[in-house]
PDB file of all heavy atoms in Angstrom:
ATOM      1  N   ASN A 187      14.972   7.119 -25.537  1.00  0.00           N
ATOM      2  CA  ASN A 187      16.220   6.422 -26.147  1.00  0.00           C
ATOM      3  C   ASN A 187      15.823   5.257 -26.994  1.00  0.00           C
ATOM      4  O   ASN A 187      16.455   5.081 -28.020  1.00  0.00           O
ATOM      5  CB  ASN A 187      17.120   6.051 -25.088  1.00  0.00           C
ATOM      6  CG  ASN A 187      18.113   7.181 -24.650  1.00  0.00           C
ATOM      7  OD1 ASN A 187      19.155   7.394 -25.211  1.00  0.00           O
ATOM      8  ND2 ASN A 187      17.746   7.944 -23.646  1.00  0.00           N
ATOM      9  N   GLU A 188      14.837   4.461 -26.568  1.00  0.00           N
ATOM     10  CA  GLU A 188      14.434   3.276 -27.274  1.00  0.00           C
ATOM     11  C   GLU A 188      13.872   3.714 -28.657  1.00  0.00           C
ATOM     12  O   GLU A 188      14.143   3.202 -29.705  1.00  0.00           O
ATOM     13  CB  GLU A 188      13.374   2.506 -26.580  1.00  0.00           C
ATOM     14  CG  GLU A 188      14.093   1.712 -25.346  1.00  0.00           C
ATOM     15  CD  GLU A 188      12.940   1.090 -24.393  1.00  0.00           C
ATOM     16  OE1 GLU A 188      11.804   1.050 -24.881  1.00  0.00           O
ATOM     17  OE2 GLU A 188      13.369   0.733 -23.422  1.00  0.00           O
ATOM     18  N   TRP A 189      13.026   4.751 -28.584  1.00  0.00           N
ATOM     19  CA  TRP A 189      12.445   5.222 -29.871  1.00  0.00           C
ATOM     20  C   TRP A 189      13.483   5.833 -30.754  1.00  0.00           C
ATOM     21  O   TRP A 189      13.489   5.536 -31.988  1.00  0.00           O
ATOM     22  CB  TRP A 189      11.460   6.442 -29.560  1.00  0.00           C
ATOM     23  CG  TRP A 189      10.074   5.916 -29.110  1.00  0.00           C
ATOM     24  CD1 TRP A 189       9.710   4.638 -28.949  1.00  0.00           C
ATOM     25  CD2 TRP A 189       8.986   6.682 -28.670  1.00  0.00           C
ATOM     26  NE1 TRP A 189       8.369   4.570 -28.530  1.00  0.00           N
ATOM     27  CE2 TRP A 189       7.915   5.857 -28.380  1.00  0.00           C
ATOM     28  CE3 TRP A 189       8.765   8.095 -28.659  1.00  0.00           C
ATOM     29  CZ2 TRP A 189       6.723   6.341 -27.976  1.00  0.00           C
ATOM     30  CZ3 TRP A 189       7.531   8.590 -28.231  1.00  0.00           C
ATOM     31  CH2 TRP A 189       6.528   7.728 -27.917  1.00  0.00           C
ATOM     32  N   ALA A 190      14.430   6.588 -30.334  1.00  0.00           N
ATOM     33  CA  ALA A 190      15.428   7.261 -31.126  1.00  0.00           C
ATOM     34  C   ALA A 190      16.207   6.216 -31.806  1.00  0.00           C
ATOM     35  O   ALA A 190      16.583   6.299 -33.045  1.00  0.00           O
ATOM     36  CB  ALA A 190      16.328   8.213 -30.322  1.00  0.00           C
ATOM     37  N   LYS A 191      16.632   5.114 -31.116  1.00  0.00           N
ATOM     38  CA  LYS A 191      17.381   4.001 -31.715  1.00  0.00           C
ATOM     39  C   LYS A 191      16.551   3.275 -32.648  1.00  0.00           C
ATOM     40  O   LYS A 191      17.023   2.899 -33.856  1.00  0.00           O
ATOM     41  CB  LYS A 191      18.001   3.144 -30.643  1.00  0.00           C
ATOM     42  CG  LYS A 191      19.062   3.776 -29.779  1.00  0.00           C
ATOM     43  CD  LYS A 191      19.438   2.775 -28.733  1.00  0.00           C
ATOM     44  CE  LYS A 191      20.753   3.474 -27.962  1.00  0.00           C
ATOM     45  NZ  LYS A 191      20.412   4.765 -27.298  1.00  0.00           N
ATOM     46  N   ALA A 192      15.295   2.871 -32.392  1.00  0.00           N
ATOM     47  CA  ALA A 192      14.488   2.076 -33.265  1.00  0.00           C
ATOM     48  C   ALA A 192      14.149   2.797 -34.576  1.00  0.00           C
ATOM     49  O   ALA A 192      14.104   2.204 -35.632  1.00  0.00           O
ATOM     50  CB  ALA A 192      13.196   1.698 -32.564  1.00  0.00           C
ATOM     51  N   SER A 193      13.925   4.121 -34.512  1.00  0.00           N
ATOM     52  CA  SER A 193      13.532   4.852 -35.683  1.00  0.00           C
ATOM     53  C   SER A 193      14.734   5.557 -36.416  1.00  0.00           C
ATOM     54  O   SER A 193      14.608   6.126 -37.439  1.00  0.00           O
ATOM     55  CB  SER A 193      12.438   5.956 -35.339  1.00  0.00           C
ATOM     56  OG  SER A 193      11.294   5.367 -34.899  1.00  0.00           O
ATOM     57  N   LYS A 194      15.936   5.411 -35.776  1.00  0.00           N
ATOM     58  CA  LYS A 194      17.135   5.975 -36.334  1.00  0.00           C
ATOM     59  C   LYS A 194      16.954   7.560 -36.557  1.00  0.00           C
ATOM     60  O   LYS A 194      17.323   8.063 -37.692  1.00  0.00           O
ATOM     61  CB  LYS A 194      17.512   5.326 -37.696  1.00  0.00           C
ATOM     62  CG  LYS A 194      17.829   3.853 -37.430  1.00  0.00           C
ATOM     63  CD  LYS A 194      18.159   3.153 -38.807  1.00  0.00           C
ATOM     64  CE  LYS A 194      18.619   1.744 -38.549  1.00  0.00           C
ATOM     65  NZ  LYS A 194      17.608   0.942 -37.893  1.00  0.00           N
ATOM     66  N   ILE A 195      16.465   8.171 -35.444  1.00  0.00           N
ATOM     67  CA  ILE A 195      16.299   9.671 -35.669  1.00  0.00           C
ATOM     68  C   ILE A 195      16.842  10.226 -34.314  1.00  0.00           C
ATOM     69  O   ILE A 195      17.280   9.570 -33.508  1.00  0.00           O
ATOM     70  CB  ILE A 195      14.855   9.981 -35.842  1.00  0.00           C
ATOM     71  CG1 ILE A 195      13.898   9.169 -34.855  1.00  0.00           C
ATOM     72  CG2 ILE A 195      14.439   9.878 -37.220  1.00  0.00           C
ATOM     73  CD1 ILE A 195      13.840   9.638 -33.523  1.00  0.00           C
ATOM     74  N   GLU A 196      16.827  11.609 -34.235  1.00  0.00           N
ATOM     75  CA  GLU A 196      17.219  12.216 -32.986  1.00  0.00           C
ATOM     76  C   GLU A 196      15.918  12.864 -32.418  1.00  0.00           C
ATOM     77  O   GLU A 196      15.074  13.343 -33.077  1.00  0.00           O
ATOM     78  CB  GLU A 196      18.204  13.433 -33.203  1.00  0.00           C
ATOM     79  CG  GLU A 196      18.704  14.118 -32.004  1.00  0.00           C
ATOM     80  CD  GLU A 196      19.712  15.197 -32.246  1.00  0.00           C
ATOM     81  OE1 GLU A 196      20.497  15.019 -33.263  1.00  0.00           O
ATOM     82  OE2 GLU A 196      19.781  16.120 -31.426  1.00  0.00           O
ATOM     83  N   ILE A 197      15.854  12.748 -31.027  1.00  0.00           N
ATOM     84  CA  ILE A 197      14.734  13.373 -30.294  1.00  0.00           C
ATOM     85  C   ILE A 197      15.313  14.556 -29.532  1.00  0.00           C
ATOM     86  O   ILE A 197      16.221  14.324 -28.798  1.00  0.00           O
ATOM     87  CB  ILE A 197      14.012  12.388 -29.474  1.00  0.00           C
ATOM     88  CG1 ILE A 197      13.384  11.313 -30.381  1.00  0.00           C
ATOM     89  CG2 ILE A 197      12.935  13.050 -28.626  1.00  0.00           C
ATOM     90  CD1 ILE A 197      12.704  10.194 -29.573  1.00  0.00           C
ATOM     91  N   GLN A 198      14.720  15.663 -29.671  1.00  0.00           N
ATOM     92  CA  GLN A 198      15.144  16.839 -28.939  1.00  0.00           C
ATOM     93  C   GLN A 198      13.991  17.338 -28.022  1.00  0.00           C
ATOM     94  O   GLN A 198      12.929  17.710 -28.433  1.00  0.00           O
ATOM     95  CB  GLN A 198      15.600  18.025 -29.949  1.00  0.00           C
ATOM     96  CG  GLN A 198      16.632  17.651 -30.912  1.00  0.00           C
ATOM     97  CD  GLN A 198      16.784  18.601 -31.961  1.00  0.00           C
ATOM     98  OE1 GLN A 198      15.939  19.454 -32.226  1.00  0.00           O
ATOM     99  NE2 GLN A 198      17.949  18.553 -32.732  1.00  0.00           N
TER     100      GLN A 198
END
Side-chain angles (χ1 to χ4, degrees):
N187 272 278
E188 290 171 10
W189 279 0
K191 290 178 174 62
S193 292
K194 298 179 175 58
I195 45 79
E196 180 176 335
I197 297 177
Q198 302 168 343

